[in-house]
Amino acid sequence: MRSRGAPPKIVDLIQDLHDGTTCALQLDSHDSQNWFPVCTGFKQGDVNAPLLFNVFIDSIVWTFEPAVCQLGLRWAYKIDGNLREAKNPSVEGISWIFMYADDIALVTESEESMRAAMDIVYEAFRKWGLHINILKTKIMKLKYKDEPDACNAVQLMLGSADIETVKKFKYLGAVCSADMSMRSEISNRLSKAGKALHKLTNMKIWGDSAISRKTKMTLYKVVVQSVLLYGCETWAITVQDTHRLEVFQMRCLRKVLGITLLDRIPNARVRSECDVPMIANIISHRRLRWLGHVGRMSRDRMPLQLMFSVLYGESKSGRPSKSWNDYVREDLDKVGLLYDWWRKCQDRISWQTSIAVLLKRT
């Protein structure tokens, strides 16, 4: 902390709070007399612990950043309000690490670069007294949709142990897939939302006549829909996956209304009675809300730069998969802002009013 410019008095106070810390195990409600000193880590439940840990991790990253950052993924961008692939990008950027507390993901262009980066990071953490859990460390190589799995195998080691290569892994609650599709993440969302719905069903919420429909809809939106659409602002989702989400939502709404498919009530009428738009419109609205948020960022922010970026390297022959920018362009066309969005989104209130029309369509 002193090397980062923290006042000496503050550093001394924090050090005094941790010096001489002892712990004991309490078993069968009997006070233990075997106290032992604690020389590593932070105090459990201390309000300062998250900040101190972030400073600690950040200090370690600073030590290996110059060596690892050159091994990252290179891209170029041109911030001009055009959501199509950037033409003649004028500024270069590089992505090499994503961090949230101690959840760290390294990004490189090749297996050799990843091997070099892992060796540097492993040695840096070891010198600072930290251990990387080999069981929680995974390798995933992105592949083209027609590339066989045999070509996707990667052999890397962490110290003397082999790192498992996976086709998908969960990072910050979202499932990332090697084929860059959203199928696994949609299945994950449906599974988690189904469990949330099942818990409410077991509590007999839907069939309780003492609970108003408005309250039931609030519970659905807060407990079920929030889980179902977690992170949907960044989804590049196909029509088939959208249909899977729509089917699940209709099942939930029929539970709220106390009806079944045998009642033969059209979906449009069910959504109208519950005052809920289609899933596709909700996703489009949230994507545009996120687009406006990123569009108002300063030009030195990476999310804005990546939105107008293009990756270096050769692309495979054939039609490429639709990107997030492609879906956003379709969303903008729905609200008539395809050619005026860059100026419109700078005013947050005006932007929210313009895109709110998507939520009024059932």
Short mmCIF file of all heavy atoms in Angstrom, two decimals, residues 34-78:
data_model
loop_
_atom_site.label_atom_id
_atom_site.label_comp_id
_atom_site.label_asym_id
_atom_site.label_seq_id
_atom_site.Cartn_x
_atom_site.Cartn_y
_atom_site.Cartn_z
N ASN A 34 -7.03 -23.74 22.92
CA ASN A 34 -5.90 -23.86 21.99
C ASN A 34 -5.99 -22.77 20.93
O ASN A 34 -6.55 -22.98 19.85
CB ASN A 34 -5.91 -25.25 21.34
CG ASN A 34 -5.75 -26.36 22.36
OD1 ASN A 34 -4.97 -26.22 23.31
ND2 ASN A 34 -6.48 -27.45 22.16
N TRP A 35 -5.48 -21.61 21.26
CA TRP A 35 -5.46 -20.49 20.32
C TRP A 35 -4.18 -20.54 19.50
O TRP A 35 -3.12 -20.89 20.00
CB TRP A 35 -5.55 -19.16 21.08
CG TRP A 35 -6.89 -18.95 21.72
CD1 TRP A 35 -7.35 -19.50 22.89
CD2 TRP A 35 -7.94 -18.14 21.21
NE1 TRP A 35 -8.62 -19.09 23.15
CE2 TRP A 35 -9.03 -18.24 22.14
CE3 TRP A 35 -8.10 -17.33 20.09
CZ2 TRP A 35 -10.23 -17.58 21.97
CZ3 TRP A 35 -9.30 -16.68 19.91
CH2 TRP A 35 -10.35 -16.80 20.83
N PHE A 36 -4.29 -20.20 18.21
CA PHE A 36 -3.13 -20.23 17.34
C PHE A 36 -3.07 -18.93 16.53
O PHE A 36 -4.11 -18.32 16.23
CB PHE A 36 -3.19 -21.45 16.40
CG PHE A 36 -4.43 -21.52 15.56
CD1 PHE A 36 -4.50 -20.90 14.32
CD2 PHE A 36 -5.55 -22.21 16.03
CE1 PHE A 36 -5.64 -20.96 13.56
CE2 PHE A 36 -6.71 -22.27 15.26
CZ PHE A 36 -6.75 -21.65 14.02
N PRO A 37 -1.87 -18.49 16.19
CA PRO A 37 -1.72 -17.23 15.45
C PRO A 37 -2.12 -17.38 13.98
O PRO A 37 -1.97 -18.45 13.39
CB PRO A 37 -0.24 -16.91 15.59
CG PRO A 37 0.41 -18.24 15.77
CD PRO A 37 -0.56 -19.09 16.54
N VAL A 38 -2.63 -16.29 13.40
CA VAL A 38 -2.99 -16.24 11.99
C VAL A 38 -2.07 -15.22 11.32
O VAL A 38 -2.11 -14.03 11.65
CB VAL A 38 -4.46 -15.84 11.79
CG1 VAL A 38 -4.78 -15.73 10.30
CG2 VAL A 38 -5.38 -16.83 12.47
N CYS A 39 -1.25 -15.71 10.42
CA CYS A 39 -0.23 -14.85 9.81
C CYS A 39 -0.52 -14.50 8.35
O CYS A 39 0.21 -13.72 7.74
CB CYS A 39 1.15 -15.52 9.90
SG CYS A 39 1.64 -15.92 11.60
N THR A 40 -1.58 -15.09 7.76
CA THR A 40 -1.91 -14.81 6.36
C THR A 40 -3.38 -14.48 6.23
O THR A 40 -4.19 -14.83 7.10
CB THR A 40 -1.58 -16.01 5.46
OG1 THR A 40 -2.34 -17.15 5.90
CG2 THR A 40 -0.10 -16.35 5.53
N GLY A 41 -3.74 -13.84 5.14
CA GLY A 41 -5.13 -13.55 4.86
C GLY A 41 -5.65 -12.33 5.60
O GLY A 41 -4.91 -11.63 6.29
N PHE A 42 -6.96 -12.08 5.43
CA PHE A 42 -7.62 -10.95 6.07
C PHE A 42 -8.67 -11.45 7.06
O PHE A 42 -9.07 -12.61 7.02
CB PHE A 42 -8.29 -10.06 5.02
CG PHE A 42 -7.32 -9.50 4.01
CD1 PHE A 42 -7.26 -10.01 2.72
CD2 PHE A 42 -6.47 -8.47 4.35
CE1 PHE A 42 -6.38 -9.50 1.79
CE2 PHE A 42 -5.57 -7.95 3.43
CZ PHE A 42 -5.53 -8.47 2.15
N LYS A 43 -9.12 -10.55 7.91
CA LYS A 43 -10.11 -10.93 8.90
C LYS A 43 -11.45 -11.23 8.25
O LYS A 43 -11.93 -10.46 7.43
CB LYS A 43 -10.28 -9.82 9.93
CG LYS A 43 -9.07 -9.61 10.83
CD LYS A 43 -9.34 -8.56 11.88
CE LYS A 43 -8.16 -8.41 12.84
NZ LYS A 43 -8.42 -7.39 13.88
N GLN A 44 -12.04 -12.36 8.63
CA GLN A 44 -13.33 -12.74 8.07
C GLN A 44 -14.41 -11.76 8.53
O GLN A 44 -14.56 -11.51 9.73
CB GLN A 44 -13.69 -14.16 8.53
CG GLN A 44 -14.93 -14.73 7.88
CD GLN A 44 -14.69 -15.13 6.44
OE1 GLN A 44 -13.55 -15.34 6.07
NE2 GLN A 44 -15.73 -15.23 5.66
N GLY A 45 -15.14 -11.19 7.56
CA GLY A 45 -16.21 -10.26 7.89
C GLY A 45 -15.76 -8.83 8.07
O GLY A 45 -16.60 -7.94 8.30
N ASP A 46 -14.48 -8.56 7.96
CA ASP A 46 -13.98 -7.19 8.10
C ASP A 46 -14.42 -6.36 6.90
O ASP A 46 -14.25 -6.78 5.75
CB ASP A 46 -12.45 -7.23 8.21
CG ASP A 46 -11.86 -5.85 8.48
OD1 ASP A 46 -12.64 -4.89 8.64
OD2 ASP A 46 -10.62 -5.74 8.53
N VAL A 47 -14.97 -5.18 7.14
CA VAL A 47 -15.45 -4.34 6.03
C VAL A 47 -14.29 -3.87 5.16
O VAL A 47 -14.50 -3.49 3.99
CB VAL A 47 -16.24 -3.12 6.58
CG1 VAL A 47 -17.50 -3.57 7.27
CG2 VAL A 47 -15.38 -2.29 7.53
N ASN A 48 -13.09 -3.85 5.69
CA ASN A 48 -11.92 -3.43 4.91
C ASN A 48 -11.35 -4.56 4.05
O ASN A 48 -10.54 -4.30 3.14
CB ASN A 48 -10.82 -2.91 5.83
CG ASN A 48 -11.22 -1.65 6.56
OD1 ASN A 48 -11.80 -0.75 5.96
ND2 ASN A 48 -10.93 -1.58 7.85
N ALA A 49 -11.74 -5.81 4.33
CA ALA A 49 -11.12 -6.97 3.68
C ALA A 49 -11.27 -6.95 2.16
O ALA A 49 -10.28 -7.18 1.44
CB ALA A 49 -11.69 -8.26 4.26
N PRO A 50 -12.46 -6.67 1.60
CA PRO A 50 -12.55 -6.67 0.12
C PRO A 50 -11.64 -5.65 -0.54
O PRO A 50 -10.99 -5.95 -1.55
CB PRO A 50 -14.04 -6.34 -0.14
CG PRO A 50 -14.74 -6.75 1.10
CD PRO A 50 -13.78 -6.47 2.21
N LEU A 51 -11.57 -4.44 0.03
CA LEU A 51 -10.71 -3.40 -0.55
C LEU A 51 -9.24 -3.80 -0.43
O LEU A 51 -8.47 -3.66 -1.40
CB LEU A 51 -10.95 -2.07 0.15
CG LEU A 51 -10.04 -0.91 -0.26
CD1 LEU A 51 -10.18 -0.62 -1.75
CD2 LEU A 51 -10.33 0.33 0.57
N LEU A 52 -8.84 -4.31 0.72
CA LEU A 52 -7.45 -4.70 0.92
C LEU A 52 -7.07 -5.85 -0.02
O LEU A 52 -5.96 -5.88 -0.57
CB LEU A 52 -7.22 -5.11 2.37
CG LEU A 52 -7.37 -4.01 3.41
CD1 LEU A 52 -7.22 -4.58 4.82
CD2 LEU A 52 -6.35 -2.90 3.19
N PHE A 53 -8.01 -6.79 -0.21
CA PHE A 53 -7.71 -7.90 -1.11
C PHE A 53 -7.55 -7.41 -2.55
O PHE A 53 -6.66 -7.87 -3.28
CB PHE A 53 -8.82 -8.95 -1.03
CG PHE A 53 -8.58 -10.14 -1.91
CD1 PHE A 53 -7.74 -11.17 -1.50
CD2 PHE A 53 -9.19 -10.24 -3.15
CE1 PHE A 53 -7.51 -12.26 -2.30
CE2 PHE A 53 -8.97 -11.33 -3.97
CZ PHE A 53 -8.13 -12.34 -3.55
N ASN A 54 -8.41 -6.49 -2.97
CA ASN A 54 -8.30 -5.95 -4.33
C ASN A 54 -6.98 -5.22 -4.55
O ASN A 54 -6.36 -5.33 -5.60
CB ASN A 54 -9.47 -5.02 -4.62
CG ASN A 54 -10.77 -5.76 -4.85
OD1 ASN A 54 -10.76 -6.94 -5.19
ND2 ASN A 54 -11.89 -5.08 -4.64
N VAL A 55 -6.55 -4.47 -3.52
CA VAL A 55 -5.26 -3.78 -3.61
C VAL A 55 -4.12 -4.79 -3.71
O VAL A 55 -3.18 -4.62 -4.49
CB VAL A 55 -5.06 -2.85 -2.40
CG1 VAL A 55 -3.64 -2.27 -2.39
CG2 VAL A 55 -6.09 -1.71 -2.42
N PHE A 56 -4.24 -5.86 -2.93
CA PHE A 56 -3.21 -6.90 -2.93
C PHE A 56 -3.11 -7.58 -4.29
O PHE A 56 -2.02 -7.73 -4.87
CB PHE A 56 -3.53 -7.91 -1.83
CG PHE A 56 -2.54 -9.04 -1.72
CD1 PHE A 56 -1.22 -8.80 -1.36
CD2 PHE A 56 -2.92 -10.34 -1.98
CE1 PHE A 56 -0.31 -9.84 -1.26
CE2 PHE A 56 -2.03 -11.38 -1.88
CZ PHE A 56 -0.72 -11.13 -1.53
N ILE A 57 -4.27 -8.02 -4.84
CA ILE A 57 -4.28 -8.69 -6.14
C ILE A 57 -3.79 -7.75 -7.23
O ILE A 57 -3.02 -8.13 -8.12
CB ILE A 57 -5.70 -9.20 -6.46
CG1 ILE A 57 -6.04 -10.41 -5.60
CG2 ILE A 57 -5.82 -9.55 -7.94
CD1 ILE A 57 -5.26 -11.66 -5.95
N ASP A 58 -4.24 -6.48 -7.16
CA ASP A 58 -3.83 -5.52 -8.18
C ASP A 58 -2.32 -5.28 -8.16
O ASP A 58 -1.69 -5.11 -9.20
CB ASP A 58 -4.57 -4.19 -7.96
CG ASP A 58 -4.43 -3.25 -9.14
OD1 ASP A 58 -4.70 -3.68 -10.27
OD2 ASP A 58 -4.05 -2.09 -8.93
N SER A 59 -1.75 -5.30 -6.97
CA SER A 59 -0.29 -5.11 -6.86
C SER A 59 0.46 -6.27 -7.51
O SER A 59 1.50 -6.07 -8.14
CB SER A 59 0.12 -4.98 -5.38
OG SER A 59 -0.50 -3.87 -4.78
N ILE A 60 -0.09 -7.49 -7.37
CA ILE A 60 0.55 -8.65 -8.00
C ILE A 60 0.46 -8.55 -9.52
O ILE A 60 1.43 -8.82 -10.24
CB ILE A 60 -0.10 -9.95 -7.50
CG1 ILE A 60 0.05 -10.08 -5.99
CG2 ILE A 60 0.52 -11.16 -8.20
CD1 ILE A 60 -0.65 -11.30 -5.41
N VAL A 61 -0.72 -8.16 -10.01
CA VAL A 61 -0.91 -8.05 -11.45
C VAL A 61 0.04 -7.02 -12.05
O VAL A 61 0.56 -7.21 -13.16
CB VAL A 61 -2.38 -7.71 -11.78
CG1 VAL A 61 -2.56 -7.42 -13.27
CG2 VAL A 61 -3.30 -8.83 -11.34
N TRP A 62 0.26 -5.95 -11.32
CA TRP A 62 1.20 -4.93 -11.79
C TRP A 62 2.58 -5.50 -12.05
O TRP A 62 3.30 -5.03 -12.93
CB TRP A 62 1.28 -3.80 -10.78
CG TRP A 62 0.24 -2.72 -10.98
CD1 TRP A 62 -1.02 -2.88 -11.46
CD2 TRP A 62 0.41 -1.33 -10.71
NE1 TRP A 62 -1.68 -1.68 -11.49
CE2 TRP A 62 -0.83 -0.70 -11.04
CE3 TRP A 62 1.44 -0.55 -10.21
CZ2 TRP A 62 -1.03 0.66 -10.89
CZ3 TRP A 62 1.24 0.81 -10.07
CH2 TRP A 62 0.01 1.40 -10.41
N THR A 63 2.98 -6.50 -11.27
CA THR A 63 4.33 -7.05 -11.40
C THR A 63 4.52 -7.83 -12.70
O THR A 63 5.60 -7.84 -13.27
CB THR A 63 4.68 -7.96 -10.21
OG1 THR A 63 3.78 -9.08 -10.18
CG2 THR A 63 4.56 -7.19 -8.89
N PHE A 64 3.45 -8.55 -13.15
CA PHE A 64 3.62 -9.35 -14.37
C PHE A 64 2.91 -8.75 -15.59
O PHE A 64 2.98 -9.32 -16.68
CB PHE A 64 3.16 -10.80 -14.16
CG PHE A 64 1.72 -10.99 -13.79
CD1 PHE A 64 0.71 -10.83 -14.73
CD2 PHE A 64 1.36 -11.36 -12.50
CE1 PHE A 64 -0.61 -11.02 -14.40
CE2 PHE A 64 0.04 -11.56 -12.15
CZ PHE A 64 -0.95 -11.39 -13.11
N GLU A 65 2.24 -7.62 -15.43
CA GLU A 65 1.54 -7.02 -16.57
C GLU A 65 2.45 -6.72 -17.76
O GLU A 65 2.10 -7.04 -18.91
CB GLU A 65 0.81 -5.75 -16.14
CG GLU A 65 0.10 -5.04 -17.28
CD GLU A 65 -0.60 -3.77 -16.85
OE1 GLU A 65 -0.46 -3.38 -15.68
OE2 GLU A 65 -1.27 -3.16 -17.71
N PRO A 66 3.63 -6.10 -17.57
CA PRO A 66 4.47 -5.78 -18.74
C PRO A 66 4.84 -7.00 -19.57
O PRO A 66 4.95 -6.91 -20.80
CB PRO A 66 5.71 -5.13 -18.12
CG PRO A 66 5.24 -4.59 -16.80
CD PRO A 66 4.23 -5.59 -16.32
N ALA A 67 5.03 -8.15 -18.91
CA ALA A 67 5.45 -9.35 -19.64
C ALA A 67 4.29 -10.08 -20.29
O ALA A 67 4.44 -10.67 -21.37
CB ALA A 67 6.20 -10.29 -18.69
N VAL A 68 3.10 -10.05 -19.66
CA VAL A 68 1.97 -10.85 -20.14
C VAL A 68 1.09 -10.10 -21.12
O VAL A 68 0.52 -10.70 -22.04
CB VAL A 68 1.13 -11.35 -18.94
CG1 VAL A 68 -0.07 -12.16 -19.41
CG2 VAL A 68 1.98 -12.18 -18.00
N CYS A 69 0.99 -8.78 -20.96
CA CYS A 69 0.04 -8.03 -21.79
C CYS A 69 0.37 -8.11 -23.29
O CYS A 69 -0.54 -8.03 -24.13
CB CYS A 69 -0.03 -6.57 -21.33
SG CYS A 69 1.44 -5.60 -21.67
N GLN A 70 1.64 -8.30 -23.63
CA GLN A 70 2.01 -8.40 -25.04
C GLN A 70 1.60 -9.73 -25.66
O GLN A 70 1.67 -9.90 -26.88
CB GLN A 70 3.53 -8.23 -25.17
CG GLN A 70 4.04 -6.89 -24.66
CD GLN A 70 3.37 -5.72 -25.36
OE1 GLN A 70 3.15 -5.75 -26.57
NE2 GLN A 70 3.06 -4.68 -24.60
N LEU A 71 1.16 -10.68 -24.82
CA LEU A 71 0.74 -11.99 -25.32
C LEU A 71 -0.77 -12.06 -25.55
O LEU A 71 -1.29 -13.11 -25.94
CB LEU A 71 1.14 -13.08 -24.32
CG LEU A 71 2.63 -13.16 -23.96
CD1 LEU A 71 2.85 -14.17 -22.84
CD2 LEU A 71 3.45 -13.53 -25.18
N GLY A 72 -1.48 -10.97 -25.31
CA GLY A 72 -2.93 -10.97 -25.37
C GLY A 72 -3.51 -10.92 -26.77
O GLY A 72 -2.82 -11.07 -27.78
N LEU A 73 -4.82 -10.70 -26.81
CA LEU A 73 -5.58 -10.67 -28.06
C LEU A 73 -5.56 -9.26 -28.63
O LEU A 73 -5.97 -8.30 -27.97
CB LEU A 73 -7.02 -11.11 -27.78
CG LEU A 73 -7.93 -11.38 -28.97
CD1 LEU A 73 -7.42 -12.57 -29.76
CD2 LEU A 73 -9.35 -11.64 -28.50
N ARG A 74 -5.11 -9.13 -29.86
CA ARG A 74 -4.94 -7.81 -30.48
C ARG A 74 -6.16 -7.45 -31.33
O ARG A 74 -6.71 -8.30 -32.03
CB ARG A 74 -3.68 -7.78 -31.34
CG ARG A 74 -2.41 -8.03 -30.55
CD ARG A 74 -1.17 -7.99 -31.40
NE ARG A 74 0.02 -8.26 -30.61
CZ ARG A 74 0.68 -7.36 -29.90
NH1 ARG A 74 0.25 -6.10 -29.91
NH2 ARG A 74 1.74 -7.68 -29.20
N TRP A 75 -6.56 -6.20 -31.23
CA TRP A 75 -7.69 -5.70 -32.01
C TRP A 75 -7.47 -4.22 -32.29
O TRP A 75 -6.58 -3.59 -31.74
CB TRP A 75 -9.01 -5.91 -31.27
CG TRP A 75 -8.95 -5.64 -29.79
CD1 TRP A 75 -8.59 -6.50 -28.81
CD2 TRP A 75 -9.27 -4.41 -29.12
NE1 TRP A 75 -8.64 -5.91 -27.57
CE2 TRP A 75 -9.06 -4.62 -27.73
CE3 TRP A 75 -9.70 -3.16 -29.55
CZ2 TRP A 75 -9.27 -3.63 -26.78
CZ3 TRP A 75 -9.91 -2.17 -28.59
CH2 TRP A 75 -9.71 -2.41 -27.24
N ALA A 76 -8.27 -3.70 -33.20
CA ALA A 76 -8.17 -2.29 -33.57
C ALA A 76 -9.58 -1.71 -33.63
O ALA A 76 -10.56 -2.44 -33.87
CB ALA A 76 -7.47 -2.12 -34.92
N TYR A 77 -9.70 -0.42 -33.42
CA TYR A 77 -11.03 0.17 -33.37
C TYR A 77 -11.02 1.58 -33.96
O TYR A 77 -9.99 2.23 -34.10
CB TYR A 77 -11.54 0.22 -31.93
CG TYR A 77 -10.76 1.13 -31.00
CD1 TYR A 77 -11.15 2.45 -30.79
CD2 TYR A 77 -9.62 0.67 -30.34
CE1 TYR A 77 -10.43 3.27 -29.94
CE2 TYR A 77 -8.91 1.48 -29.48
CZ TYR A 77 -9.31 2.78 -29.28
OH TYR A 77 -8.60 3.60 -28.45
N LYS A 78 -12.24 2.02 -34.29
CA LYS A 78 -12.47 3.37 -34.77
C LYS A 78 -13.85 3.80 -34.29
O LYS A 78 -14.87 3.29 -34.75
CB LYS A 78 -12.40 3.42 -36.30
CG LYS A 78 -12.59 4.82 -36.88
CD LYS A 78 -12.51 4.78 -38.39
CE LYS A 78 -12.69 6.18 -38.98
NZ LYS A 78 -12.63 6.15 -40.47
#
